Amino acid sequence: MTPAEAQQRIAQLRADVARHDERYYRQAKPEITDFAYDGLKRELAELEAEFPLFATADSPTQRVGDDRVQGFREVAHRQKMLSLDNTYSEEEVRAFHTRMVRLLGTEDLHYTVEPKIDGLAVSLTYEQGRFVRAVTRGTGDKGDDVTANVRTIASLPRELKKVRGTVMPDVVEIRGEIYLTAAEFERINAERAAAGEELYANPRNTAAGTIKQLDAAEVARRKLSIVLYSLGHCEPAVVTTQARLHERLKAWGLPHVERIWHALGIDEVWASIGELDALRRSFAYGTDGAVVKLDDMALQREVGATDKAPRWAIAYKYKPDTARTRLKAITIQVGKTGILSPVAELEPVFLAGSTIARATLHNEEEIRRKDIRVGDLVEIEKAGEVIPAVLRSFPEERLPGAPEFDLPAAVGHKCPVCGGKIAKLAVADEEAQGVAWKCQNYDCSAQRTGRLGFFCSRKALAIDGVGGVVAEKLVELGHVQDPPDLYDVAQETLATLNLGTAEKPRVFGEKNAAKVVAAREAARALPLEKWLYALSVPDVGETTARELGRRHRNFTELADSALLRAVLQKAGLAAERELQAPSSRKNPAKSDEDRARRKELCVRLDAEIAGLDAGPLAGVPSDIGPAVAASVVEFFASVPGKRLLAKLQQLGIDPQGTVVAAGVFTGKTFVLTGTLPTMKREEAEQKILAAGGKVSGSVSKKTSYVLAGAEAGSKLDKARELGVPVIDETEFQRLLGR
Ligand code: IVH
């Protein structure tokens, strides 16, 4: 691989990992298995090692995934919450031991082997034995305060039991994992199925999603569990070995792991990993691996840790369970944006605790790449976290003549739901990335159902109960075309809505109907950003909706947005500028005269662009680029877009934007570095935001000021290199006061 190729691949991998981190840590909705994710991270780490020139401190290989979400108080951990290095290979577990031997100068090393619990990490603080706080891992340095939610966990003691002959630490951080038992997960899903709500994919993500709910009463309804396995800060220190720690956790009355293994040397470690594998499916929590730790805490301190993980531990992850079965057919599902997704219909097979008859095939490209054909023997994987996926086929066992899968041909070149036109288009949304076949009919009932479900989802307007089969029936029976039509459905109609069949009726019910009516009324008051997101405007995700909501007063202003026009105008000017550049490859200057004329033209174009940047586009983030602008403008000018706006008007729904008042820092971006003499970092950030400015983590040409304090780091060098103005706190206060 050439350095240029490596650089490109590294950038791609970082973007992919960042997207998957967002889905896993914040949205609790991963789209790939841990195994596939670990593969991406490994490739990235290897490339960074081979091409150190492209290694950066902010690479996902150098930090822990960030789980923080809005709405929670942030709390600093007293001792950093680290992650673990992990591997799928025996060889690397053995290499870990070799490293320990080299660092510590002895072969005689004791380890513990413990279950690696597949939940979400949390740190509990007990002061004088009383539970006072629970914080998620967050960035590792600080996380979200989820104390109220953790208090709902019945098995967690509020007081640690006194252990005779030992001291109770003044302050101790106890770390562990929050999880849902399989039984509780199934109970929740059964309840959701009965209410016509979308089912959760797996226990881990449901637990993660639950702990990040702002309403503790809601959390209490789901019986979360917890298990503790390690210490953070502890004053005074109470134990000297990992094995003793487990005993102490037990003695304090805390929920602890079922079993740990003591191992002397690497062969015993490897044998223990095997024993754990045979037992792990009987544990109450999902166990996706084994954690090997040096037993002696003095030795742990001696080998130390990197920024991200201790050197004295390693996680061995078991390969996800797989099974072989026959691919009976490939059917096509239509999502809310019209994307056609292939689904594998399988000969039912028992795998990792459940019978599997369907699996995702992602997209047409993937089917081709893996050479999967109807009738094939296939290997499927279920990693406990995500929808089962088809891993591979066995072409050597295929009967000759099996045709390649051709998606458009399989659906007769039309949408399998509405019969409408389909087209292959570039897509970039929550359903898929890249190129996909799409149903072009906005009024396709599958799209209508998908949009209604999304409109009512938690992240959108939170009208609980209107997902899955409920949305399907409302559309099927003609009650709803566009999501806002939901406001016209009478409570009585909702209550008697038949979710079953004519022979086996099952109604939605009075109570559920009353809840929907209350929730839809409450949603009237939600801001423009929520409504915009809820209406599934093409290319408008959560962030874009927020940015647009902050810059427009209402839908009327957005539909005729001067800002979006300016974005498009700038894109047009930039394209023209590129074409007119005398050095343009596509359009080289023909003569000196031509060159001079075009140079002049470019100066004019640059000035126009700069005028837009300083004027209507000042402070507009890159989220709102020409593609988004074109999508939004087009959508509100289209028949469906106009229909939606007219409907909202008729319903008297007029969501308001949260336009931030212009301040002294409007359009200015700050980067903070070092310690300020009197102001805390958060304080300075607040002041910047309140004055209309923005705060960014890295210095670029677009940075307006770097606010630097004592012990400023590389950001200061970068600022000097790029000629970005550097100011101190005094200067900052002066600018603020102006
Ligand atoms: S020890 C400094 N032990 O796995 C020690 N972690 O993938 C770090 N985890 O961040 C943690 N089971 O959230 C430890 N028995 C166990 C664990 C465990 C699950 C989690 C933990 C960690 C993550 C790393």
Side-chain angles (χ1 to χ4, degrees):
M1 192 179 265
T2 66
E5 283 165 353
Q7 187 175 25
Q8 207 172 20
R9 181 72 190 142
I10 285 172
Q12 179 66 50
L13 285 166
R14 282 187 189 150
D16 288 351
V17 169
R19 187 160 55 85
H20 293 310
D21 276 348
E22 169 73 22
R23 295 197 64 106
Y24 183 86
Y25 289 108
R26 299 205 202 203
Q27 301 176 9
K29 257 185 162 180
E31 56 186 21
I32 60 170
T33 63
D34 279 9
F35 188 59
Y37 171 83
D38 290 335
L40 293 176
K41 265 188 118 162
R42 163 154 301 234
E43 185 185 347
L44 179 56
E46 283 170 3
L47 279 176
E48 287 174 344
E50 194 181 334
F51 298 92
L53 189 62
F54 306 130
T56 56
D58 64 352
S59 169
T61 55
Q62 304 302 314
R63 54 179 166 74
V64 307
D66 187 356
D67 66 39
R68 291 172 307 159
V69 296
Q70 275 185 354
F72 289 93
R73 194 168 70 99
E74 260 180 21
V75 180
H77 297 296
R78 282 170 190 258
Q79 181 177 310
K80 190 169 169 145
M81 254 178 116
L82 295 174
S83 179
L84 286 170
D85 286 332
N86 66 46
T87 178
Y88 289 86
S89 110
E90 176 181 352
E91 207 183 311
E92 288 185 14
V93 176
R94 290 183 180 276
F96 160 74
H97 172 63
T98 312
R99 255 192 327 272
M100 294 305 110
V101 170
R102 202 188 55 227
L103 287 170
L104 297 167
T106 168
E107 297 259 337
D108 196 20
L109 290 173
H110 291 260
Y111 297 97
T112 60
V113 176
E114 321 173 350
K116 175 166 172 16
I117 297 128
D118 192 18
L120 74 146
V122 69
S123 180
L124 311 179
T125 304
Y126 282 82
E127 288 176 6
Q128 271 86 38
R130 295 201 62 174
F131 171 65
V132 293
R133 203 172 309 109
V135 183
T136 66
R137 182 164 66 196
T139 60
D141 290 313
K142 55 186 176 181
D144 285 341
D145 183 340
V146 290
T147 311
N149 292 348
V150 168
R151 280 191 200 280
T152 70
I153 301 177
S155 59
L156 186 74
R158 301 299 122 103
E159 300 268 350
L160 299 179
K161 277 194 208 141
K162 301 217 164 50
V163 184
R164 210 186 316 179
T166 70
V167 279
M168 181 61 79
D170 294 334
V171 187
V172 57
E173 289 176 322
I174 306 174
R175 270 110 194 231
E177 216 79 4
I178 291 176
Y179 68 96
L180 272 175
T181 62
E184 178 62 5
F185 172 68
E186 268 155 35
R187 188 194 65 75
I188 294 168
N189 256 352
E191 210 175 84
R192 289 182 72 83
E197 290 167 337
E198 200 186 325
L199 298 190
Y200 290 126
N202 63 70
R204 192 263 159 204
N205 303 319
T206 314
T210 304
I211 208 71
K212 289 300 174 88
Q213 297 222 0
L214 295 171
D215 179 0
E218 189 67 31
V219 178
R221 252 178 272 139
R222 307 202 183 145
K223 308 273 174 266
L224 289 171
S225 304
I226 192 167
V227 53
L228 287 320
Y229 51 67
S230 88
L231 288 189
H233 176 82
C234 183
E235 229 179 71
V238 286
V239 288
T240 52
T241 70
Q242 198 61 34
R244 290 257 163 73
L245 168 63
H246 283 278
E247 281 165 21
R248 180 61 59 87
L249 294 175
K250 204 192 254 185
W252 277 339
L254 291 166
H256 51 90
V257 295
E258 243 113 319
R259 188 165 165 196
I260 67 162
W261 282 256
H262 304 261
L264 172 59
I266 196 61
D267 290 329
E268 284 188 25
V269 163
W270 186 247
S272 309
I273 290 177
E275 284 179 29
L276 171 57
D277 191 16
L279 273 184
R280 67 188 169 107
R281 289 176 190 81
S282 67
F283 297 159
Y285 33 81
T287 302
D288 58 349
V291 185
V292 183
K293 299 176 181 172
L294 266 183
D295 188 38
D296 188 330
M297 290 177 172
L299 297 185
Q300 291 181 359
R301 277 190 295 276
E302 202 171 324
V303 296
T306 66
D307 256 3
K308 201 186 139 199
R311 285 198 192 84
W312 45 264
I314 189 166
Y316 173 81
K317 289 177 91 175
Y318 300 109
K319 297 231 169 51
D321 290 337
T322 62
R324 286 181 193 192
T325 186
R326 189 69 61 186
L327 176 64
K328 291 195 300 189
I330 296 176
T331 52
I332 305 294
Q333 276 183 351
V334 184
K336 84 173 166 82
T337 57
I339 290 172
L340 307 189
S341 320
V343 178
E345 305 289 342
L346 306 162
E347 201 68 69
V349 57
F350 193 75
L351 175 61
S354 61
T355 302
I356 293 173
R358 306 184 92 195
T360 171
L361 283 166
H362 300 293
N363 53 49
E364 197 190 14
E365 241 43 78
E366 179 139 324
I367 298 178
R368 192 159 311 137
R369 201 161 42 78
K370 293 183 174 164
D371 188 18
I372 293 168
R373 305 186 191 188
V374 174
D376 275 356
L377 184 65
V378 291
E379 185 167 40
I380 60 167
E381 164 192 278
K382 180 156 185 290
E385 307 88 16
V386 276
I387 313 163
V390 176
L391 282 183
R392 57 171 298 205
S393 66
F394 299 89
E396 62 283 5
E397 296 192 28
R398 171 185 299 153
L399 291 176
E404 260 184 51
F405 181 69
D406 179 340
L407 195 151
V411 291
H413 300 274
K414 53 186 201 294
C415 170
V417 175
C418 70
K421 269 201 201 130
I422 59 170
K424 200 166 186 174
L425 297 169
V427 291
D429 62 19
E430 288 171 354
E431 281 181 59
Q433 305 277 333
V435 177
W437 286 93
K438 272 178 108 169
C439 163
Q440 301 288 84
N441 172 19
Y442 185 81
D443 291 318
C444 170
S445 67
Q447 292 193 43
R448 283 183 173 169
T449 304
R451 283 195 299 264
L452 176 59
F454 181 77
F455 180 79
C456 297
S457 66
R458 283 274 161 87
K459 284 198 333 182
L461 302 188
I463 305 176
D464 277 1
V466 192
V469 62
V470 178
E472 219 170 278
K473 290 288 175 185
L474 285 170
V475 169
E476 186 187 310
L477 298 173
H479 296 305
V480 173
Q481 293 188 4
D482 294 328
D485 297 342
L486 179 66
Y487 281 86
D488 290 335
V489 185
Q491 183 164 340
E492 182 55 24
T493 312
L494 282 169
T496 54
L497 190 71
N498 180 8
L499 307 177
T501 56
E503 302 82 57
K504 260 190 163 179
R506 179 168 70 83
V507 295
F508 188 50
E510 292 291 348
K511 242 170 84 185
N512 287 329
K515 274 198 216 159
V516 168
V517 169
R520 78 183 174 193
E521 287 316 308
R524 284 176 179 271
L526 291 174
L528 181 63
E529 64 175 75
K530 283 278 181 200
W531 276 86
L532 177 58
Y533 180 56
L535 289 177
S536 296
V537 178
D539 293 326
V540 177
E542 228 172 345
T543 319
T544 308
R546 196 175 315 125
E547 296 296 346
L548 289 172
R550 284 188 188 154
R551 290 174 171 79
H552 297 86
R553 275 196 293 260
N554 48 36
F555 272 117
T556 316
E557 197 178 291
L558 179 64
D560 183 33
S561 165
L563 183 143
L564 295 180
R565 273 199 310 257
V567 171
L568 293 172
Q569 197 189 348
K570 177 178 163 185
L573 291 171
E576 180 66 11
R577 166 75 173 80
E578 204 177 310
L579 192 71
Q580 293 300 343
S583 59
S584 161
R585 252 193 234 161
K586 249 202 259 161
N587 179 29
K590 290 177 194 66
S591 61
D592 283 351
E593 199 187 2
D594 188 29
R595 184 184 314 274
R597 185 185 61 78
R598 280 168 51 178
K599 238 186 184 163
E600 210 172 288
L601 185 57
C602 284
V603 172
R604 268 216 316 277
L605 287 168
D606 284 341
E608 266 185 75
I609 292 173
L612 287 173
D613 278 338
L617 295 181
V620 174
S622 57
D623 289 289
I624 309 179
V628 167
S631 268
V632 175
V633 169
E634 250 169 57
F635 181 75
F636 287 115
S638 71
V639 173
K642 285 186 182 151
R643 194 170 74 198
L644 274 177
L645 293 189
K647 184 73 204 175
L648 292 182
Q649 201 168 25
Q650 186 214 326
L651 291 168
I653 295 174
D654 185 17
Q656 300 296 302
T658 43
V659 180
V660 206
V664 282
F665 291 155
T666 299
K668 302 278 184 253
T669 304
F670 284 75
V671 172
L672 279 62
T673 178
T675 318
L676 300 176
T678 73
M679 237 188 254
K680 282 220 180 84
R681 197 189 189 87
E682 289 75 30
E683 224 178 298
E685 286 185 4
Q686 281 303 323
K687 292 218 153 89
I688 294 167
L689 295 177
K694 288 186 40 164
V695 178
S696 158
S698 56
V699 182
S700 76
K701 277 189 289 190
K702 290 198 180 139
T703 310
S704 319
Y705 296 103
V706 167
L707 173 54
E711 283 167 52
S714 60
K715 289 175 190 167
L716 189 57
D717 304 334
K718 185 84 193 255
R720 298 214 168 106
E721 188 186 310
L722 294 175
V724 171
V726 177
I727 57 172
D728 62 6
E729 188 184 313
T730 321
E731 175 66 8
F732 176 69
Q733 299 275 24
R734 200 184 61 74
L735 288 173
L736 254 181
R738 223 174 31 194

